[in-house]
Amino acid sequence: MTNLYLPKRLSRRGFIQTAAAATASALILPGSALAAATPDLSGLPGVGPVGAGPKTPLVFGHRGASALRPEHTLGSYAKAIADGADYIEPDLCSTKDGVLVARHEAFLSETTDVASHPEFASRKTRKTIDGETHEGWFVDDFTLAELKTLRAVERLPQFRPGSVQYNGMFQVLTFEEIIDFTAAEAAARGRIIGLVPELKHSTYFASVGLPLEDRFLSILAAHDYTRRNPVEIQSFEVANLKYMRGKLGQRANLRLMQLVIGENVRPMDVAKAGGTLTFAQMCTPAGLRDIAQYADVVAPPTRSLIPLKKDGSLDQPSSLVDDAHKAGLRVEPWTFRPENHFLAADFRNNAGDAARNEAGSIAEIKRYVATGMDGFFTDDPALGRAALA
């Protein structure tokens, strides 16, 4: 059988085609065993290989289609897939009983109806996680069974009133439920759909006896879909990505994504260990070369690619995309949002700060696509797909 050729960067179709040749044997294998494993070329039963096509950036459904449905719900993920997302994103936190669930952060108060449950009033508390202090309710103080009694609500009702009508319809999802749902959607639609999970607050969860990494790896290994099909694993921390690279090795269907911000602050694991490395240093040419030793992708905020001027309009592109590509990294920034409030001044209209502005969002994404980025996160995958048309 022909050996797989894996260039440093693949087009969307090229990556999915290569991912279809990933082995279906156990996920966590030493390098020698991995090399000897027999490739499984199906990728997804009943779906033929994806042919080579134009190099088109990947569209990541940020928390699903979170501009249109409450984030991290079946409604949000289903909408993202229907609207053409290549990948959907579950942010992962741990429950009190060690189950990985999809929440943007451990803080529950903004995205669920927990405050309306009198039986949980005594759980209200104050915590500081990753430098942010919140008062309310937190994932790790609830068992999965308790979380399942809650319902999701729109996090940004002032900007997304259309999403508010779906408040109360959807449960909190486990990572395994999302994998099964993605596999079902892929089988029904006859196309491969990737997963781009983020491990949230790794240092915090380890500090309370709920480390995420081994639970996460065991779930990937237990599901046929994630053994065969595209998965990109994200983190703002460094040590957990290095740990997973050591466990996973190089796999045709897997990428590791180092999330960064363009500021002179340290990742939480670096800070706890007393290190000095900052995100700003990680975004330099030397820092990007260091990232490429353990990760495949760097994911900065969009404004690190094209910063804003003082008047809020777009400035000239930075060198970040070129620097990352020279280091052998893909560039997949976050996050495009379709409301005037979040757009650069160049693309806003006169409908009001909170108004949805589809044309402006499409135009803004097009400007960023021209930098040569390899993918992008968007709260509205339909607009991301339109920008690539």
Side-chain angles (χ1 to χ4, degrees), residues 4 38 73 303 314:
L4 294 176
T38 301
T73 62
R303 305 313 185 198
L314 290 184

Side-chain angles (χ1 to χ4, degrees), residues 24 38 87 100 195 247 262 265 269 276 333 352 383 385 389:
T38 301
Y87 286 63
L100 298 188
L195 287 161
K247 288 288 188 178
V265 298
D269 59 320
T276 60
L383 301 184
R385 182 60 58 205

Side-chain angles (χ1 to χ4, degrees), residues 37-203:
T38 301
D40 182 321
L41 296 178
S42 61
L44 182 68
V47 178
V50 179
K55 291 185 178 180
T56 304
L58 291 164
V59 177
F60 295 104
H62 187 238
R63 311 176 201 173
S66 54
L68 302 169
R69 305 288 188 273
E71 62 188 43
H72 294 311
T73 62
L74 285 181
S76 186
Y77 293 132
K79 181 63 172 168
I81 292 168
D83 287 349
D86 294 298
Y87 286 63
I88 57 172
E89 181 200 35
D91 293 323
L92 300 177
C93 296
S94 179
T95 66
K96 183 178 182 179
D97 48 348
V99 180
L100 298 188
V101 295
R103 291 289 90 192
H104 171 57
E105 55 188 3
F107 188 52
L108 290 170
S109 304
E110 295 177 342
T111 60
T112 73
D113 62 358
V114 62
S116 67
H117 287 251
E119 68 272 26
F120 298 134
S122 64
R123 308 278 180 94
K124 188 175 183 179
T125 187
R126 179 187 293 267
K127 294 187 182 187
T128 300
I129 301 176
D130 291 1
E132 293 190 7
T133 300
H134 293 290
E135 183 171 339
W137 292 264
F138 297 83
V139 170
D140 52 307
D141 293 327
F142 290 77
T143 65
L144 176 63
E146 290 170 334
L147 282 180
K148 285 292 189 180
T149 68
L150 308 181
R151 292 297 180 270
V153 300
E154 171 54 45
R155 186 175 62 91
L156 300 172
Q158 69 275 34
F159 296 110
R160 294 167 178 178
S163 180
V164 173
Q165 65 184 312
Y166 300 98
N167 282 2
M169 290 182 63
F170 302 108
Q171 293 182 334
V172 174
L173 296 171
T174 69
F175 183 36
E176 293 196 85
E177 288 171 337
I178 295 168
I179 294 172
D180 284 345
F181 174 74
T182 304
E185 284 284 293
R189 296 175 181 274
R191 72 176 179 93
I192 294 171
I193 301 158
L195 287 161
V196 56
E198 180 185 347
L199 299 185
K200 302 293 295 192
H201 314 312
S202 277
T203 294

Side-chain angles (χ1 to χ4, degrees), residues 338-344 347-357:
E339 295 85 11
N340 276 325
H341 179 82
F342 302 107
L343 297 176
F347 308 106
R348 295 174 191 159
N349 59 25
N350 296 321
D353 183 64
R356 180 176 168 84
N357 180 354

Side-chain angles (χ1 to χ4, degrees), residues 184-241:
E185 284 284 293
R189 296 175 181 274
R191 72 176 179 93
I192 294 171
I193 301 158
L195 287 161
V196 56
E198 180 185 347
L199 299 185
K200 302 293 295 192
H201 314 312
S202 277
T203 294
Y204 167 76
F205 279 113
S207 75
V208 296
L210 295 168
L212 306 177
E213 289 73 25
D214 287 335
R215 290 179 174 89
F216 173 77
L217 291 171
S218 68
I219 291 171
L220 289 188
H223 286 260
D224 181 78
Y225 192 82
T226 48
R227 291 198 302 266
R228 300 175 189 239
N229 296 293
V231 178
E232 293 203 16
I233 304 166
Q234 315 171 65
S235 179
F236 276 104
E237 299 190 15
V238 176
N240 56 3
L241 289 179

